[in-house]
Amino acid sequence: MSIDYTQKIPNNVQLSDDKQLQRALEKWQPHFLDWWKEMGPEGFQQKDVYLRTATSVDAKGWASYGMTKMPDYRWGIFLADQVPDRKIGFGDHMGEAAWQQVPGEFRSDLRRLIVTQGDTEPASVEQQRLLGQTCPSLYDLRNLFQVNVEEGRHLWAMVYLLHAYFGRDGREEAEELLQRHSGDRNKPRILSTFNEPIDDWLSFFCFTYFTDRDGKYQLKMLAESGFDPLSRTCRFMLTEEAHHMFVGETGLGRVIKRAVEVMNEIKSGDPAAVRGAGAIDLPLMQKYINFWFSSAQDLFGSDTSTNAANYFANGLKGRPDEDQYQDHVAKDATYEIEEVGDDGSIKTVAIPLRNAMNVIARRAYIKDCDIGVQRWNRVIKKAGVDFALKLPSERFRRTVGVYAGHHFTPDGKPVAAAEWEARKYGWIPSPDERAFVKGLMRQVTEPGKIAGWIAPPDRGINNLAVEHEYVRL
Ligand SMILES: [Fe+2]
Ligand SMILES: [Fe+2]
């Protein structure tokens, strides 16, 4: 279904057929724009940026590209096409027709799921608002803004559902999504990770690789939902999300590529020498991976969760790629997770499968994270460098779930709190190392030029040259 761009709010949901809803959303639209101008990318609002805009929800050829000032971006409401006769694919309502309206008994659960997802979208824009000032190239600057405008569109996606299906409560929630702000002491964003500023580009690439990927998995689970409008919304968001994963994976890959180039140039793998030559050494990359991977895993919630069990039982939130499982009801099955004793000893216990949905999703996420790590390792190997990056143990540095309150090394060995404190900066970036990374971040905006700590991309955007002037300053 193609998207109607003649409307004030571009959409493929026949918004003009529902005047009341259209009016409500047109009232919200200027509030969104005020938020964007105040909390969106600082310093570039009046610049032309080479952005892609969705023009249809087909997997092929769904977007068009052009120079746009960000406040003029056509944020809109795009749902994936309806699957005819779609049935609920899991839980106690398995096989029943998917819901086109919100079932009364699940109203507050669904609203909470939508608001929590919706809150992360503008939060990430707020977290990243100063990054443009230290961009390593125009290509990267453009990618940052593309991610930002699409996170803004994801907010629209959730706000549409709130307005269209949750009446007055939904409209109030939509307003509050613009009133909470990342890091605001009085009205913070809902999830704590989304209240930390992302103020250097290495953290931005880690965020898009690890944290956005949690988002991908949340969307995959919601795309399974029995509430059909939510499923369709999330399916299309996943199309956009793929670019965010790309920015993270290639961004980190280019930092790693630059590190091994420098190592070969100076004929030394000594981290101090690599840093002296203006690159980020591989052991420090490992520490950033350890840090971001562990914090992103906490976003999946407790390993054993009655909320997750209820969402699954009620058909609200499935497993990522629910199709690939055999048993979609999961009623009497069990799943093995670890339990940590007071002395740090670990034993395996079986819990009801439905209660284990968070850990099942988290482990699928871990596998997905590892794909990029293996790709980066091939770059390192190809350069003739003897070093391999790896994801730390799922036990490492957790504050949510069964491992919280205990201390483990990146290899998953239990250690006492004192030992953890003494050794932690061997595993995660120290304040000095963070300061070093920040010190590398200087704005490069000459077309085709690139900062010294990162390799150029293999190719440009939409078949354009790497040197293209992606942002006109
Ligand atoms: Fe998003
Ligand atoms: Fe994203």
Side-chain angles (χ1 to χ4, degrees):
M1 205 186 285
S2 74
I3 296 167
D4 183 355
Y5 272 99
T6 64
Q7 303 285 316
K8 237 177 165 175
I9 301 169
N11 71 90
N12 70 348
V13 294
Q14 270 109 39
L15 192 56
S16 54
D17 291 354
D18 187 338
K19 293 293 174 211
Q20 205 188 344
L21 175 60
Q22 186 177 31
R23 267 198 303 275
L25 283 165
E26 284 179 1
K27 226 176 113 189
W28 186 81
Q29 189 176 35
H31 301 176
F32 169 83
L33 277 172
D34 288 345
W35 165 80
W36 177 269
K37 286 178 196 154
E38 197 187 327
M39 303 302 290
E42 162 113 4
F44 297 90
Q45 300 276 352
Q46 287 317 310
K47 306 297 179 197
D48 281 313
V49 185
Y50 188 70
L51 293 175
R52 78 173 179 190
T53 305
T55 49
S56 91
V57 292
D58 282 349
K60 282 183 200 144
W62 61 275
S64 72
Y65 291 79
M67 293 306 266
T68 310
K69 291 183 179 51
M70 286 185 276
D72 300 334
Y73 191 75
R74 302 300 317 271
W75 286 284
I77 300 158
F78 317 133
L79 270 60
D81 288 339
Q82 192 158 11
V83 174
D85 300 319
R86 179 168 173 259
K87 304 275 190 280
I88 297 169
F90 60 94
D92 293 340
H93 299 277
M94 167 102 192
E96 294 173 21
W99 309 303
Q100 300 305 326
Q101 291 296 331
V102 178
E105 66 269 42
F106 305 139
R107 193 182 163 87
S108 71
D109 277 347
L110 277 168
R111 195 182 60 203
R112 185 177 341 141
L113 285 169
I114 292 167
V115 167
T116 307
Q117 178 64 40
D119 195 65
T120 64
E121 315 285 359
S124 70
V125 176
E126 294 166 352
Q127 288 173 287
Q128 297 162 12
R129 60 193 297 266
L130 299 179
L131 276 176
Q133 296 166 6
T134 54
C135 65
S137 72
L138 285 184
Y139 165 91
D140 290 291
L141 186 62
R142 176 268 167 204
N143 283 349
L144 166 70
F145 295 156
Q146 184 69 55
V147 170
N148 291 159
V149 293
E150 281 171 355
E151 300 303 7
R153 208 209 62 76
H154 292 176
L155 171 60
W156 270 95
M158 294 299 126
V159 163
Y160 164 71
L161 294 175
L162 290 169
H163 271 241
Y165 297 97
F166 293 87
R168 194 187 164 164
D169 306 353
R171 290 193 293 277
E172 283 169 9
E173 294 282 11
E175 282 303 321
E176 284 182 41
L177 283 166
L178 297 176
Q179 280 157 14
R180 286 187 292 271
H181 297 310
S182 179
D184 188 316
R185 215 174 295 172
N186 300 317
K187 276 187 163 261
R189 292 294 175 185
I190 295 170
L191 301 171
S192 62
T193 324
F194 289 87
N195 286 301
E196 306 292 336
I198 311 289
D199 49 11
D200 71 78
W201 280 74
L202 184 56
S203 297
F204 170 64
F205 292 137
C206 289
F207 181 95
T208 42
Y209 191 79
F210 291 109
T211 313
D212 253 346
R213 192 176 308 275
D214 159 73
K216 169 182 163 182
Y217 275 77
Q218 300 301 328
L219 293 177
K220 273 173 165 288
M221 290 185 267
L222 295 173
E224 303 289 340
S225 183
F227 178 44
D228 202 43
L230 175 60
S231 164
R232 290 172 59 199
T233 300
C234 292
R235 264 187 287 141
F236 184 64
M237 289 164 77
L238 281 165
T239 315
E240 294 167 309
E241 206 60 44
H243 176 68
H244 310 180
M245 307 291 103
F246 164 87
V247 169
E249 187 183 327
T250 55
L252 292 174
R254 288 160 54 210
V255 180
I256 291 161
K257 190 174 170 203
R258 185 63 194 141
V260 292
E261 277 171 11
V262 166
M263 285 166 75
N264 285 334
E265 274 162 33
I266 63 171
K267 299 193 169 47
S268 168
D270 175 24
V274 175
R275 287 179 207 180
I280 299 168
D281 54 290
L282 297 178
L284 185 50
M285 288 301 291
Q286 180 65 60
K287 290 183 191 180
Y288 271 81
I289 290 171
N290 290 349
F291 179 86
W292 284 92
F293 174 72
S294 51
S295 75
Q297 282 192 94
D298 283 347
L299 291 168
F300 285 86
S302 298
D303 295 302
T304 146
S305 163
T306 45
N307 267 346
N310 287 334
Y311 293 155
F312 188 87
N314 294 335
L316 308 182
K317 191 176 176 187
R319 284 168 287 192
D321 305 301
E322 182 62 41
D323 274 5
Q324 71 180 18
Y325 296 92
Q326 304 230 297
D327 169 14
H328 300 293
V329 179
K331 195 150 181 142
D332 305 308
T334 57
Y335 187 82
E336 288 190 347
I337 65 166
E338 291 182 332
E339 207 172 69
V340 188
D342 289 339
D343 58 349
S345 64
I346 286 173
K347 64 172 192 225
T348 303
V349 292
I351 61 166
L353 181 56
R354 285 181 174 186
N355 291 63
M357 291 306 169
N358 288 343
V359 63
I360 290 169
R362 185 166 62 72
R363 286 183 179 161
Y365 163 86
I366 292 173
K367 272 196 191 152
D368 200 38
C369 285
D370 197 49
I371 295 171
V373 176
Q374 296 319 320
R375 237 173 247 156
W376 301 329
N377 281 337
R378 285 198 287 277
V379 172
I380 298 172
K381 207 170 169 191
K382 214 172 133 194
V385 170
D386 182 23
F387 190 96
L389 295 162
K390 69 173 192 203
L391 296 175
S393 161
E394 64 176 344
R395 301 171 188 164
F396 177 71
R397 210 183 74 93
R398 299 293 306 285
T399 64
V400 173
V402 290
Y403 307 110
H406 303 279
H407 298 281
F408 297 93
T409 68
D411 291 332
K413 291 193 195 72
V415 285
E419 189 180 348
W420 160 267
E421 269 308 311
R423 296 178 66 190
K424 68 179 177 187
Y425 292 134
W427 301 323
I428 56 171
S430 69
D432 283 354
E433 288 168 328
R434 286 182 182 279
F436 162 73
V437 169
K438 267 188 200 147
L440 290 176
M441 304 291 141
R442 305 231 174 86
Q443 194 184 53
V444 177
T445 56
E446 221 180 298
K449 286 268 153 51
I450 190 127
W453 56 271
I454 185 168
D458 289 338
R459 57 189 72 84
I461 297 297
N462 192 33
N463 296 322
L464 292 177
V466 171
E467 301 76 38
H468 186 80
E469 195 175 2
Y470 290 102
V471 183
R472 225 171 273 140
L473 296 176

